[in-house]
Amino acid sequence: MLYIYKCKGKPYKELCMKQYQINDIFNQLGGFNQFRMMTGAKQFAVDHKTDTIQFKIGKNCNSINIVRITLTAMDDYTVEFGRLRAGSYKVVNKVDGIYCDTLAETFTRYTGMETRMPRVVGFNC
């Protein structure tokens, strides 16, 4: 579980992205631990002013290494896929209006990485 503590100088309950919202985003991506293992995600950061979660991911076919997920006022997400190289940041793709049920599919479509471990059911030896 990812723990984010109080914002500095602001009432935590009103102006900051709440802990349950952060946990909900990672649950929609398949769970925090599964998502981390499948994508190599690391260096998680939360910007409470813009309600944005940012993290780095491992190598993939599109050379995307930074993902930013922003919760908008319409209760949907804006997902920005970017590349950081030699100190310069370039946005590769930006997708607006993503709902919770398509967040994992959008991540897979643009990075080529699965967010959940495959389940094997009914395998008999």
Side-chain angles (χ1 to χ4, degrees):
M1 181 176 286
L2 180 68
Y3 293 102
I4 305 300
Y5 298 100
K6 293 183 181 180
C7 297
K8 295 180 180 177
K10 295 183 182 176
Y12 182 70
K13 292 182 180 179
E14 296 175 6
L15 296 177
C16 297
M17 191 174 200
K18 294 176 179 58
Q19 182 67 43
Y20 73 88
Q21 292 171 325
I22 297 167
N23 290 336
D24 283 346
I25 290 172
F26 285 111
N27 285 336
Q28 291 158 5
L29 288 169
F32 181 69
N33 289 330
Q34 275 192 31
F35 179 74
R36 220 170 28 127
M37 286 191 305
M38 293 296 288
T39 62
K42 58 186 175 185
Q43 297 181 359
F44 297 90
V46 176
D47 184 2
H48 293 290
K49 293 180 182 176
T50 59
D51 288 343
T52 302
I53 297 175
Q54 175 179 313
F55 50 89
K56 289 187 175 184
I57 57 173
K59 291 183 179 181
N60 56 66
C61 61
N62 296 327
S63 300
I64 293 169
N65 60 5
I66 291 188
V67 178
R68 291 181 179 159
I69 302 173
T70 305
L71 180 64
T72 64
M74 299 295 293
D75 203 26
D76 58 2
Y77 301 109
T78 299
V79 183
E80 184 178 291
F81 301 97
R83 183 179 306 132
L84 180 65
R85 283 196 183 146
S88 65
Y89 179 73
K90 178 183 175 186
V91 176
V92 176
N93 288 311
K94 186 174 183 179
V95 185
D96 297 323
I98 302 297
Y99 292 105
C100 63
D101 57 343
T102 59
L103 186 60
E105 295 170 12
T106 303
F107 184 88
T108 301
R109 183 181 311 128
Y110 287 97
T111 63
M113 303 172 93
E114 292 294 328
T115 61
R116 299 167 195 235
M117 290 188 158
R119 303 279 185 224
V120 179
V121 179
F123 183 74
N124 294 327
C125 293

